[in-house]
């Protein structure tokens, strides 16, 4: 068999504000020879599905600007969380046919050395597991679930809720949680975590379909952030204040949320989508952090994975398989759909319209 | 002896922005008869010294606006932390001659019932001690110390530093602390707490005299927030970021502080002086809370007093008496000085000029 095409998605152009079809491009120029003899410990992976997540917008920046995740280099393949299948292997740890989960380049075939023990130890220290985690999938979930509800977004909701929602201090009883972007892959899990802990859950979303989904998974009150007045809704539905504010969106709405925070409230800052395209509203009432004695925690899921990783994998996939925990996906077919899918994602229009759920790119 | 004058400081006029000489007024119209027979459990206190603190500006608002401390009613005496002497007593718990510390009305003589056990229990629940705490003062400190370094401001620094400065999570090693308003009664204690814990301490203050004081008590780097560029100073002095940011001032400077926060930094929000007179700058980079995985905690000292109260009183007065912990006071003589002293305090001009230290009003 001669070398075959090995398409990848490259970072083509720095976006100014919202990404366009020029931001990411498919590059089909590279080739790979799948017949070539592998070296000892080498493996070839083939992508099964990859994730698109809002945080990736932050990686599309000039390389000299520091942030928590490295900038994507221009004209090189982007990467992110994905599931791949080991299709060739000279590693005893990764047998042909197994599926792995990890941070992967978005290149159809990936020829690389199996991770060393050192690499795994380093990864475990920061992310609680090996660099390429073998998925046993005893629950027979679709592979895409492992980049969504059973992957990074699910972990984000599960671990941060466990770590940062409990009442701190000696005053106060948890009653009301507010979750913005409630229909998203993180928000929808956060809603279900909050309900399980007995909270009255207020959520927000941007369309009737998304609002209905939030209700279907248990939210008590759901409003449309585009048309409803959150100030009135919080005053009516949380007269004693919001005890846990799960922030996905931030922006000017955060001022209203602070104004309605309960004393000793916890603010879990998971994202600040409103600023990902560069716009950023000024928040003028941060004195409320003192006045309300708030506990505000930002986090990256990897920080919490050493503490909660095995608990997560031993409970969440089962709960997803049984239907106890609900989730929603929007699937795109093929790497070439990524440029448009990423635009859709940041615009909240998954699937090109009023889509709903975790964006998943499947690669046949 | 006929009834005598019982001067008090009343809340005379709602301030618009900065307080003026019309905001607070001395009222000498009331009288008290010190010869009158007391009822069972009644006591008469005479003020020895009272405190003026920036948070009191927040109480000078319209009564219908809720906040963490109640609004001062117009035309009634204001109140705050003070030390008083029991000059008459029919209470077995408060003998004549003892000194007490508590939240008192700023009225020269206070005739009241001794606190009931219920009142004390309620107070202990929220503030860790009785409503009127008897000061044994075995260290023979000046009474004014008990409203400053050995009182509410000292507790604020001591307790919040203990509670919120320790490293959370698995990454990071504490190295640099930044303390704004470093020469103030809270900031100066915070500087000394940070130094004791081995931090490199960067502080800011508004005059040469205040800067020198910060250095004298151990700060490694001190800049003038009115003339220096904090962005350059943090870049040079904290190239790996600020691990603990003790916020007294807030405002636009907070953006620069966020930009220079270290990963896993702790932000202790003790005050937001920049907004006390009503102005409030918008903070546009709160996404840094996620990017830097920050832990931001607001608090009121009473929240922490049940946990740290007895530790504080058993260690801090001793350390103040021995000179191990340093502090500075600006004394005003007489209740009638309060209207001007409060203006000076909010302008950072204690004593009418380049004053420095805890504002104390002594009443002869």
């Amino acid at each position: 068999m001669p070398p075959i095409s090995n398409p990848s998605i490259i970072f083509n152009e720095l976006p100014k504000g919202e990404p366009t079809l020029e931001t990411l491009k498919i590059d089909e120029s590279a080739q790979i020879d799948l017949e070539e003899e592998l070296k000892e410990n080498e493996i070839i992976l083939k992508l099964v599905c990859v994730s698109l997540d809002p945080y990736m917008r932050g990686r599309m920046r000039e390389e000299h600007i520091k942030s928590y995740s490295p900038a994507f280099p221009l004209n090189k393949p982007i990467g992110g969380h994905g599931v791949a299948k080991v299709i060739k292997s000279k590693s005893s740890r990764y047998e042909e046919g197994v599926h792995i989960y990890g941070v992967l380049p978005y290149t159809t075939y990936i020829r690389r050395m199996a991770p060393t023990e050192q690499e795994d130890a380093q990864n475990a220290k920061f992310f609680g597991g090996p660099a390429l985690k073998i998925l046993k999938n005893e629950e027979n979930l679709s592979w895409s679930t492992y980049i969504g509800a059973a992957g990074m977004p699910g972990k984000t909701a599960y671990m941060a809720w466990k770590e940062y929602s409990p009442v701190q201090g000696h005053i106060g009883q948890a009653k009301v949680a507010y979750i913005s972007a409630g229909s998203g892959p993180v928000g929808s899990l956060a809603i279900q975590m909050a309900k399980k802990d007995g909270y009255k859950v207020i959520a927000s979303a941007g369309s009737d379909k998304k609002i209905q989904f939030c209700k279907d998974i248990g939210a008590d009150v759901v409003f449309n952030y585009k048309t409803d007045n959150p100030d009135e809704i919080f005053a009516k539905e949380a007269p004693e204040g919001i005890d846990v504010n799960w922030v996905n969106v931030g922006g000017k709405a955060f001022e209203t949320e602070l104004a309605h925070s309960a004393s000793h409230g916890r603010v879990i800052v998971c994202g600040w989508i409103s600023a990902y395209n560069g716009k950023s509203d000024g928040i003028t009432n941060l004195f409320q952090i003192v006045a309300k004695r708030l506990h505000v925690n930002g986090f990256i899921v990897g920080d919490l994975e050493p503490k909660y990783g095995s608990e997560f994998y031993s409970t969440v996939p089962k709960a997803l398989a049984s239907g106890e925990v609900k989730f929603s996906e929007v699937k795109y077919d093929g790497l070439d759909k990524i440029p448009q899918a990423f635009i859709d994602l940041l615009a909240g229009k998954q699937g090109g319209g009023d889509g709903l759920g975790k964006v998943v790119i499947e690669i046949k």
Side-chain angles (χ1 to χ4, degrees), chain A:
Chain A
M1 195 162 107
I4 58 169
S5 173
N6 186 12
S8 64
I9 294 294
I10 62 160
F11 182 31
N12 182 64
E13 186 181 283
L14 275 169
K16 292 173 189 142
E18 290 169 22
T20 68
L21 286 173
E22 293 302 306
T23 308
L24 302 174
K25 287 273 189 191
I26 189 148
D27 175 359
E28 300 185 300
S29 64
Q31 295 205 311
I32 184 168
D33 182 351
L34 297 178
E35 303 292 308
E36 207 174 71
E37 189 69 13
L38 297 184
K39 283 179 269 196
E40 195 59 31
N41 281 323
E42 234 181 351
I43 56 178
I44 297 178
L45 304 169
K46 182 174 185 298
L47 292 182
V48 173
C49 55
V50 297
S51 184
L52 290 180
D53 298 285
Y55 85 89
M56 295 166 76
R57 173 64 183 83
R59 302 189 63 180
M60 297 170 190
R61 64 181 190 269
E62 293 185 56
E63 281 194 74
H64 70 91
I65 302 170
K66 279 194 199 172
S67 188
Y68 62 99
S69 54
F72 289 131
L74 271 171
N75 301 315
K76 297 273 167 66
I78 66 163
H81 289 89
V83 171
K85 185 175 177 177
V86 178
I87 61 166
K88 282 192 78 175
S89 173
K90 285 196 80 172
S91 156
S92 56
R93 296 175 61 203
Y94 294 92
E95 289 176 17
E96 284 176 19
V98 303
H99 285 72
I100 60 87
Y101 170 69
V103 173
L104 305 170
Y106 289 179
T107 296
T108 310
Y109 298 96
I110 303 156
R111 182 172 167 172
R112 59 164 285 169
M113 301 303 285
T116 61
E117 281 181 26
Q118 245 180 339
E119 191 179 342
D120 277 349
Q122 187 70 4
N123 205 76
K125 193 173 159 194
F126 294 108
F127 304 110
L132 302 178
K133 179 183 170 67
I134 293 171
L135 297 172
K136 292 187 181 156
N137 195 13
E138 286 158 353
E139 296 81 10
N140 207 25
L141 293 165
S142 78
W143 293 115
S144 60
T145 317
Y146 286 95
I147 55 173
M152 187 273 283
K155 289 178 192 175
T156 299
Y158 181 92
M159 296 176 183
W161 180 266
K162 290 252 169 180
E163 181 74 3
Y164 297 120
S165 72
V167 179
Q168 292 176 32
H170 61 298
I171 307 173
Q173 163 119 35
K175 276 170 280 182
V176 177
Y178 169 61
I179 293 153
S180 56
S183 73
V186 177
S188 59
L189 266 279
I191 287 174
Q192 293 175 82
M193 296 292 291
K195 282 308 295 177
K196 206 175 166 191
D197 279 358
Y199 283 76
K200 172 176 180 177
V201 174
I202 305 175
S204 60
S207 74
D208 290 347
K209 192 171 160 187
K210 291 176 181 177
I211 287 171
Q212 188 57 51
F213 179 69
C214 291
K215 288 180 179 168
D216 292 345
I217 60 175
D220 299 283
V221 177
V222 191
F223 67 88
N224 188 321
Y225 70 87
K226 293 173 180 168
T227 56
D228 293 326
N229 181 339
D231 187 49
E232 284 171 12
I233 285 158
F234 294 142
K236 178 167 175 250
E237 300 291 346
E240 292 174 56
I242 299 164
D243 296 286
V244 181
N245 178 18
W246 184 288
V247 179
N248 285 317
V249 177
K252 213 63 183 171
F254 187 64
E255 279 192 357
T256 310
E257 294 158 29
L258 277 184
H260 285 277
S261 287
S263 277
H264 302 273
R266 282 80 65 207
V267 181
I268 302 174
V269 192
C270 175
W272 202 269
I273 302 173
S274 60
Y276 287 1
N277 281 324
K279 291 165 278 177
S280 196
D281 291 311
I283 304 300
T284 62
N285 61 345
L286 290 181
F287 176 66
Q288 293 297 329
I289 294 174
V290 185
K292 305 277 181 67
R293 314 109 187 264
L294 301 181
H295 305 287
V296 185
N297 288 288
F299 68 98
I300 305 292
V301 63
D303 300 340
L304 302 173
E305 191 136 358
K307 184 167 173 184
Y308 295 105
S310 52
E311 178 185 320
F312 177 85
Y313 278 113
S314 69
T315 57
V316 173
K318 278 193 188 71
L320 294 166
S322 74
E324 183 195 337
V325 173
K326 292 169 187 64
F327 64 101
S328 171
E329 291 177 342
V330 173
K331 294 186 178 178
Y332 290 77
D333 181 20
L335 274 189
D336 58 313
K337 302 300 189 309
I338 284 183
Q340 182 62 49
F342 192 65
I343 294 170
D344 295 348
L345 171 66
L346 286 194
K349 294 180 176 170
Q350 296 90 316
D354 185 14
L356 165 74
K358 173 76 191 93
V359 169
V360 167
I361 313 294
E362 294 195 307
I363 298 112
K364 291 287 150 57

